[in-house]
C-alpha cells in the first residue's frame, strides 16, 4: 500500500528494529487497551468542554495540553499509567498514514460540506492564491532561513523538506478554532477554505522534497509534472465521486440511514482511491468532494433527514477532533522525551523559539506579498482581516503525522536518525506554540481590533428582542399560570428564577425606537435587508420541505438570495435579478416551430420551462410575503421596515405580471402545479397525523410502520411520477401564447 511519503525509503533503523522486538517481548499490552485510551480521551475531552465552556480558553488547546500531560506521565514515568498507558503506546505506534486515513476524511468532509457554497465561489481566487503561490513562498522562506541560520549542516533539500512540512496551515486546528471563536462568516470561509487547500498542496510539496531527500533526482519538468498530476488528479477524482454519489442520493427517498452512510463511505473511499490507488492528494480529493456535496446535494436531503445528516457529521468531527488533538499532545510529549539528548540541550529550545518566529515571519511575507491581489478578489481584504489571516496560521495533526513519518523513515544513508528526531521535536514544538500562543490569543486579537463587537443596528435589534421576550413570557404565563388542578402561579417568583426577565422588567423601551423618521441610516437599512433576505431563504427551505418547490427550483432560489446578499450595501433588494432570466422565454423558442425538431421534444422543453418559471415566480412571491409579514410584526410601521417592505413589493411586480399572463393564456399550468403542491401537503399532513397518534399512544409500532410505509409510497410516486400537463396542439399554443410571441411585459422594475 502506498503512503503519503511513498515508497521512497526501503531502509529501517537497526536500533528501531531492536527496540521494537524488545518491546514486543516484554510488553503485556492487549490490543483492547487502545479502546480504553480512546474512551478515556473522549471522557476527558467532554469534561473539559463542559468546564471551559464560556471561557476564553479554546477547547483544542485544552485537549493538546491533556495529551501532553498523558504522554509525559506515560513516557516519563516508566509505564505507570497501566492499561491507559498501554493504549497510549498502541496508538502512538500506529502507522502515521493510517492515522491520517482514519481521521482526515471525516474532518475534511465535514468542514468542506458545511461551508457556504456561494462564499466559496466568491473566495475561490483568494484561496487558490494562498494555497498555491502562498505555500511555495512559505516553503522557500522557511527553508532558506533554516539553511542559513540553523547549525545542523542540513543541505537545501532537507531544509526545504522541513519548510514544506511547516509551511502550510492545518485545517483540523484552524477549523476547530474558528468555529469555537465564532469569527465572521466571510473570514471563516476564507481561512477555512485556504487551510483545506493549503494542507493538500503542502502534502504534495512535502512528498516532492522527501523523494528528493531520499535520493531521487528530479528536473524542473518532472517536478512540474508531479505537482500538476497530484493537484488536477485529486480534483478529477473528487468530482467523479461527487457526481456519482449525488446521482445515487437522488434515488434515495427519505431514508436518513442510507443518506448518512453514502456520505460517510464515499468520503473514505474517495480518500483511499486518491491517496493509495491513484497516488494523488487524498486531502484535496475529499475537499473537492465535500464542496461538490455542499453545492449540489444540500437540497437533496430535506427536513429531518437534513438535520440528522448535519448532526451526524458534527458529532463525527467532534469525536475525531478530540482524539486527534489529545493524540497530538501525546506525540509531542514522546518526541521531546525520546530525544532527550536533543531536547535537554538549551540550544535546541532556543532554535525552536527561533523557528516559531520564522513561521510567523513567513506567514507575514505570504500575506504581505499577496495582499494587493487578495484585495482585488472575492470580497476583498482589509488590513484588520489580513492580521487575523496572518495570526490564524496554526499547525496541527497533519504536520505531526508527516514529521512522524520522517522519523520512522530515518536512520539510513540519506536521512539520519538524529535528523528524524529533530524534525519531530521541532514540528511538535511548533504545533504546541501555534495552538497555545496563536490559538489562545486570537479571540483577544479579534477584540483588540474590534472585530467581535456588535454594530449599533445589531445592538438595537438585540435590545428589541429582549423587550419582546417579556411580552412573550407574559403570554406564556397567562396560558399556564392558572389551571384546575394546581391553581395559580406567582409571577414575581417566576421572574426571580428567570434572570433575563428580571433584568428587563420595568425597563422596557419602545421596540421601534430608533427606527422612526429621520433615522434612515444606511447601516440600519443594510442590516434590515440582510435579515429580510435571510427570512426569504428560510421560507424557501420550508417550501422545499412542504413540497411546494422542487430541488432544482430551490437551488435557483437560494442562489438568487446569496447573490442579493452581496449587494445589500449598495443596492436595494435585488434577488429577482438572478431569477428574471429563468422566467423569460429565450428568443430561440421562436425557432422551435421548425418542422425539423420533433414535436415531443418541443412540448417537453416548453412545458418544463413554463413549469419552472411558474414555480420560481410563485415561490418568490410567497417567500417575500412571509418575510414582509415577519418584518412588520417585529418592527411595525417604522421607517426602516417600511423602506425594505416597499423594496420587496417593487421586486414582486414582475413575478405577479408573469403569473397573470400565464393565468390568462394557459391556466392549465397553474392548476397542475397547485394540484401537485396540495397532494404533497396532504401526504405530509397524513404523516404528521400518524406520528401524533403514535405520540399519544393510540397507535403501536407495527401499525405506525404499516401506515407510514403506505404514505411514504404515495410520496415517492408523487415525486417520481407527478401529475403531468397535457398541452394542446403545439403550433396553436406557440402562435397564441403571449409569453412566447411578446416579451414586452417582461420589463425590469428594479429601483
Amino acid at each position: 500500500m502506498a503512503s503519503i511519503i511513498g515508497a521512497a525509503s526501503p531502509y529501517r533503523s537497526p536500533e528501531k528494529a531492536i527496540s521494537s522486538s524488545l518491546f514486543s517481548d516484554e510488553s503485556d499490552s492487549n490490543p483492547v487497551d487502545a479502546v480504553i485510551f480512546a474512551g478515556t480521551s473522549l471522557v476527558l475531552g467532554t469534561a473539559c468542554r463542559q468546564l471551559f465552556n464560556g471561557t476564553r480558553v479554546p477547547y483544542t488547546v485544552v485537549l493538546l495540553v491533556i495529551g501532553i500531560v498523558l504522554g509525559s506521565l506515560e513516557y516519563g514515568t516508566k509505564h505507570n499509567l497501566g492499561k491507559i498507558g498501554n493504549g497510549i503506546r498502541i496508538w502512538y505506534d500506529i502507522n502515521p498514514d493510517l492515522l491520517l486515513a482514519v481521521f482526515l476524511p471525516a474532518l475534511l468532509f465535514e468542514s468542506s460540506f458545511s461551508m457556504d457554497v456561494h462564499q466559496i465561489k466568491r473566495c475561490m481566487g483568494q484561496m487558490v492564491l494562498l494555497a498555491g503561490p502562498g505555500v511555495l513562498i512559505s516553503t522557500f522562506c522557511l527553508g532558506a532561513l533554516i539553511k542559513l541560520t540553523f547549525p545542523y549542516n542540513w543541505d537545501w533539500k532537507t531544509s526545504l523538506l522541513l519548510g514544506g512540512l511547516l509551511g502550510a496551515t492545518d485545517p483540523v486546528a484552524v477549523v476547530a478554532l474558528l468555529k469555537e471563536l465564532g469569527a465572521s462568516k466571510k473570514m471563516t470561509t476564507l481561512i477555512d477554505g485556504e487551510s483545506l487547500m493549503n494542507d493538500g498542496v503542502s502534502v504534495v510539496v512535502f512528498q516532492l522534497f522527501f523523494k528528493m531527500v531520499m535520493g531521487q533526482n528530479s528536473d524542473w519538468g518532472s517536478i512540474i509534472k508531479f505537482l500538476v498530476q497530484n493537484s488536477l488528479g485529486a480534483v478529477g477524482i473528487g468530482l467523479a465521486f461527487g457526481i456519482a454519489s449525488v446521482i445515487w442520493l437522488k434515488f434515495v427517498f427519505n431514508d436518513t440511514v442510507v443518506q448518512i452512510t453514502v456520505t460517510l463511505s464515499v468520503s473514505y473511499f474517495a480518500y483511499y482511491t486518491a491517496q493509495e490507488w491513484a497516488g494523488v492528494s487524498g486531502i484535496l480529493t475529499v475537499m473537492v468532494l465535500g464542496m461538490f456535496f455542499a453545492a449540489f446535494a444540500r437540497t437533496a436531503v430535506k427536513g429531518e433527514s437534513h438535520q440528522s445528516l448535519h448532526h451526524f457529521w458534527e458529532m463525527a468531527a467532534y469525536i475525531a477532533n478530540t482524539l486527534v488533538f489529545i493524540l497530538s499532545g501525546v506525540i509531542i510529549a514522546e518526541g521531546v522525551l525520546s530525544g532527550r539528548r536533543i531536547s535537554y540541550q538549551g540550544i535546541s529550545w532556543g532554535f525552536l523559539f527561533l523557528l516559531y518566529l520564522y513561521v510567523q515571519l513567513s506567514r507575514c511575507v505570504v500575506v504581505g506579498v499577496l495582499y494587493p491581489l487578495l484585495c482585488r478578489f472575492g470580497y476583498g481584504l482589509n488590513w484588520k482581516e489580513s492580521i487575523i489571516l496572518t495570526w490564524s496560521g496554526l499547525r496541527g495533526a497533519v504536520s505531526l503525522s508527516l514529521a512522524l513519518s520522517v522519523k520512522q523513515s530515518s536512520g539510513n544513508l540519506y536521512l539520519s536518525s538524529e535528523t528524524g528526531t529533530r524534525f519531530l521535536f521541532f514540528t511538535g514544538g511548533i504545533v504546541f506554540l501555534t495552538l497555545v500562543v496563536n490559538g489562545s490569543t486570537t479571540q483577544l486579537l479579534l477584540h483588540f481590533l474590534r472585530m467581535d463587537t456588535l454594530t449599533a443596528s445589531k445592538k438595537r435589534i438585540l435590545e428589541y428582542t429582549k423587550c419582546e421576550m417579556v411580552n412573550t413570557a407574559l403570554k406564556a404565563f397567562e396560558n399556564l399560570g392558572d389551571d384546575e388542578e394546581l391553581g395559580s402561579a406567582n409571577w414575581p417568583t417566576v421572574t426571580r428564577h428567570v434572570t433575563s426577565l428580571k433584568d428587563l422588567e420595568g425597563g422596557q423601551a419602545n421596540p421601534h425606537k430608533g427606527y422612526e423618521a429621520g433615522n434612515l441610516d444606511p447601516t440600519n437599512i443594510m442590516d434590515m435587508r440582510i435579515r429580510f433576505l435571510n427570512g426569504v431563504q428560510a421560507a424557501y427551505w420550508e417550501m422545499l420541505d412542504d413540497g411546494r418547490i422542487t430541488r432544482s427550483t430551490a437551488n435557483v432560489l437560494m442562489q438568487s438570495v446569496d447573490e442579493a446578499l452581496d449587494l445589500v450595501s449598495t443596492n436595494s433588494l435585488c434577488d429577482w435579478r438572478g431569477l428574471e432570466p429563468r422566467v423569460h422565454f429565450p428568443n430561440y423558442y421562436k425557432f422551435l416551430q421548425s418542422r425539423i425538431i420533433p414535436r415531443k421534444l418541443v412540448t417537453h422543453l416548453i412545458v418544463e420551462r413554463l413549469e419552472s418559471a411558474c414555480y420560481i415566480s410563485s415561490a418568490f412571491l410567497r417567500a417575500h410575503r412571509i418575510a414582509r409579514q415577519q418584518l412588520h410584526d417585529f418592527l411595525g410601521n417604522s421607517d426602516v421596515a417600511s423602506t425594505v417592505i416597499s423594496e420587496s413589493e417593487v421586486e414582486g411586480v414582475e413575478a405577479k405580471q408573469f403569473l397573470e399572463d400565464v393565468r390568462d393564456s394557459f391556466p392549465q399550468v397553474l392548476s397542475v402545479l397547485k394540484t401537485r403542491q396540495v397532494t404533497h401537503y396532504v401526504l405530509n399532513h397524513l404523516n404528521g397525523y400518524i406520528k401524533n397518534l403514535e405520540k399519544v399512544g393510540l397507535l403501536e409500532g407495527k401499525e405506525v410502520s404499516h401506515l407510514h410505509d403506505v404514505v411514504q409510497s404515495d410520496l415517492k410516486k408523487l415525486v417520481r411520477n407527478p401529475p403531468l400537463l397535457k398541452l394542446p396542439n403545439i403550433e396553436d399554443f406557440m402562435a397564441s401564447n403571449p409569453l412566447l410571441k411578446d416579451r414586452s411585459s417582461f420589463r425590469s422594475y428594479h429601483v
Side-chain angles (χ1 to χ4, degrees), residues 382-404:
N382 59 42
W383 66 272
K384 292 183 178 181
E385 293 168 339
S386 65
I387 292 176
I388 297 298
L389 182 63
T390 302
W391 195 244
S392 61
L394 309 183
R395 275 66 177 174
V398 175
S399 298
L400 273 177
S401 296
L402 296 178
L404 199 59

Side-chain angles (χ1 to χ4, degrees), residues 121-142:
K121 294 177 182 177
R122 290 293 304 271
C123 297
M124 184 59 69
Q126 296 169 311
M127 296 177 190
V128 172
L129 280 173
L130 291 168
V135 168
L136 296 178
I137 293 172
S138 177
T139 298
F140 283 100
C141 281
L142 282 173

